[in-house]
Amino acid sequence: MRENAESWLVGFERFLSLERNVSANTARAYLGDVKHFQSFLQTHDRGAFTTVSLTDLRGWLAEQQTSGVSRTTLARRQSSIRRFFGWAKREGFIELDPSLRLQSPKLDKKLPPVLRADQMTRLINDQEQAQARTQKLAKQGQKPTPRAQNAVDHSPAEQQAPSETDRAVALRDQAMIELLYATGIRVGELVGIDIDDVDLERCVVKVTGKGNKQRTVPFGLPARDAIGDWLARGRQFLISERNSESSDRFALFLGKRGKRVNQRQVREVVSRRLEHLGDTSARGPHVLRHTAATHLLDGGADLRAVQELLGHSSLATTQLYTHVSIDRLRQSFSQAHPRA
């Protein structure tokens, strides 16, 4: 079974990357799920992929559910195994697909965390104020406080006047947060943006989303000004000569070492800002995506337009944000209507 199973996995991985054009992370998750099922077959002596039955699949999922695996993970693993056996049938490795009658677990509809408009304003303005405070202290020859230093630099322990690099990082962080909120793009899309993808005159940016699908997203004047400041007064201080021959030299956003900023760095920046607000437990850049979508719908934006903006392949995904807006409407109704 091993040689046959290994060739199946290699073929399935090739199918995911070349035909389905999924991201590396998605392909890794699908393969991991299939390998998890393969391990289940071996542990329980259930035979090979070619002899799998619906009972085997149900037993695999039931065992995970008993052990406390979340419904979200179960749903993803079921999706992975369905795609795997669908591919195997198409390739002629099996005659019947055992996963066709496998029922999906019902998922709890959790509303995404969303910032209020006043929280979002503070999140953006606090960064501008922190930068101004640090620059003022630098002119006076004073050391910034830990709070001010943490708001600008990635190394709070270094208590010293901000360098050109520190000020460049502050400008970069401001531009990233403004662009994330203005466009609702994913963090993976943000880090993949090159300078040529941004048109500051038209206030649009070209991003590459899931499945390598490209779309053009508009942004407002605050984001335009923040990006312009970063390009004019910050980016040159983070450019590294070592990257002159790599694609990093085209990246819109750079890290301290001159390389293209990565998703982990963006998450740290946004999470730090959110923590600094003090009145929300939300963390991570995806909060800004949820917030942008909800604020657009609250402001009267068309659902289809928001779908296009976010790059959702299904309108059902976008409709999740309507539940957030309705929930807020219900709260306002309960607080304000005399007959609520």
Side-chain angles (χ1 to χ4, degrees):
M1 172 186 173
R2 173 170 295 276
E3 291 183 0
N4 184 42
E6 290 299 325
S7 65
W8 283 33
L9 292 173
V10 171
F12 183 55
E13 182 178 18
R14 188 181 300 114
F15 161 76
L16 291 173
S17 59
L18 298 182
E19 295 189 39
R20 299 298 302 178
N21 202 24
V22 303
S23 68
N25 289 337
T26 301
R28 191 179 304 113
Y30 281 176
L31 283 171
D33 293 338
V34 175
K35 290 178 180 179
H36 187 278
F37 178 60
Q38 180 186 18
S39 177
F40 169 84
L41 293 176
Q42 294 173 344
T43 301
H44 296 275
D45 196 23
R46 297 290 183 93
F49 286 141
T50 51
T51 60
V52 167
S53 66
L54 178 61
T55 301
D56 294 328
L57 294 173
R58 286 174 173 170
W60 173 57
L61 294 175
E63 183 179 87
Q64 296 175 71
Q65 187 173 17
T66 302
S67 63
V69 174
S70 69
R71 290 185 179 182
T72 303
T73 300
L74 287 175
R76 191 205 66 212
R77 287 182 171 172
Q78 189 216 54
S79 176
S80 300
I81 213 68
R82 273 186 167 178
R83 181 156 291 183
F84 174 70
F85 279 111
W87 164 83
K89 185 178 185 301
R90 193 196 73 173
E91 294 295 316
F93 295 150
I94 56 177
E95 293 185 6
L96 298 175
D97 183 351
S99 67
L100 287 178
R101 295 172 56 196
L102 198 61
Q103 294 183 346
S104 302
K106 293 184 179 180
L107 296 178
D108 296 327
K109 292 185 177 180
K110 294 182 179 180
L111 298 180
V114 174
L115 299 181
R116 302 188 307 271
D118 64 291
Q119 290 176 314
M120 195 64 229
T121 299
R122 282 166 39 222
L123 182 75
I124 293 174
N125 291 343
D126 182 70
Q127 187 160 338
E128 295 175 339
Q129 294 166 5
Q131 182 183 349
R133 288 194 301 268
T134 306
Q135 291 174 343
K136 182 178 180 180
L137 291 172
K139 291 180 181 179
Q140 297 174 348
Q142 301 179 30
K143 296 180 180 180
T145 63
R147 175 169 173 162
Q149 184 76 10
N150 189 39
V152 176
D153 193 7
H154 289 281
S155 304
E158 299 176 6
Q159 299 300 305
Q160 58 185 7
S163 63
E164 295 289 358
T165 299
D166 298 327
R167 285 189 282 269
V169 167
L171 290 171
R172 180 205 66 190
D173 293 351
Q174 180 74 8
M176 291 194 305
I177 290 177
E178 286 276 15
L179 189 58
L180 284 169
Y181 175 57
T183 60
I185 60 176
R186 304 176 180 91
V187 62
E189 296 169 343
L190 178 84
V191 301
I193 298 174
D194 289 334
I195 293 178
D196 291 342
D197 294 330
V198 182
D199 187 336
L200 292 180
E201 291 186 4
R202 297 174 56 221
C203 287
V204 294
V205 57
K206 182 176 67 177
V207 298
T208 303
K210 293 182 177 181
N212 280 336
K213 294 180 181 179
Q214 292 187 338
R215 69 185 189 280
T216 300
V217 185
F219 53 82
L221 297 182
R224 182 201 65 180
D225 294 342
I227 296 171
D229 286 344
W230 154 245
L231 291 176
R233 301 190 292 115
R235 189 177 183 276
Q236 65 267 32
F237 295 107
L238 299 185
I239 295 175
S240 172
E241 294 182 359
R242 292 176 297 178
N243 295 327
S244 60
E245 299 299 326
S246 72
S247 62
D248 289 340
R249 70 186 186 278
F250 302 118
L252 175 62
F253 296 116
L254 301 172
K256 281 190 174 182
R257 297 183 180 180
K259 295 184 178 181
R260 183 185 296 271
V261 71
N262 58 47
Q263 296 187 33
R264 177 186 58 79
Q265 291 171 306
V266 179
R267 289 192 182 95
E268 289 177 353
V269 168
V270 177
S271 293
R272 186 183 305 115
R273 299 299 177 197
L274 290 168
E275 183 178 7
H276 197 247
L277 284 180
D279 58 353
T280 178
S281 60
R283 296 291 182 270
H286 220 63
V287 173
L288 302 187
R289 178 172 168 85
H290 297 324
T291 300
T294 304
H295 289 181
L296 280 167
L297 291 171
D298 285 344
D302 179 74
L303 190 62
R304 288 285 185 185
V306 176
Q307 177 191 9
E308 182 68 23
L309 186 75
L310 298 180
H312 287 156
S313 57
S314 170
L315 189 63
T317 306
T318 315
Q319 285 177 328
L320 172 65
Y321 299 105
T322 65
H323 296 304
V324 179
S325 298
I326 291 173
D327 185 56
R328 289 190 171 188
L329 180 61
R330 186 179 293 110
Q331 291 178 7
S332 299
F333 174 81
S334 299
Q335 293 173 1
H337 200 287
R339 305 287 288 183

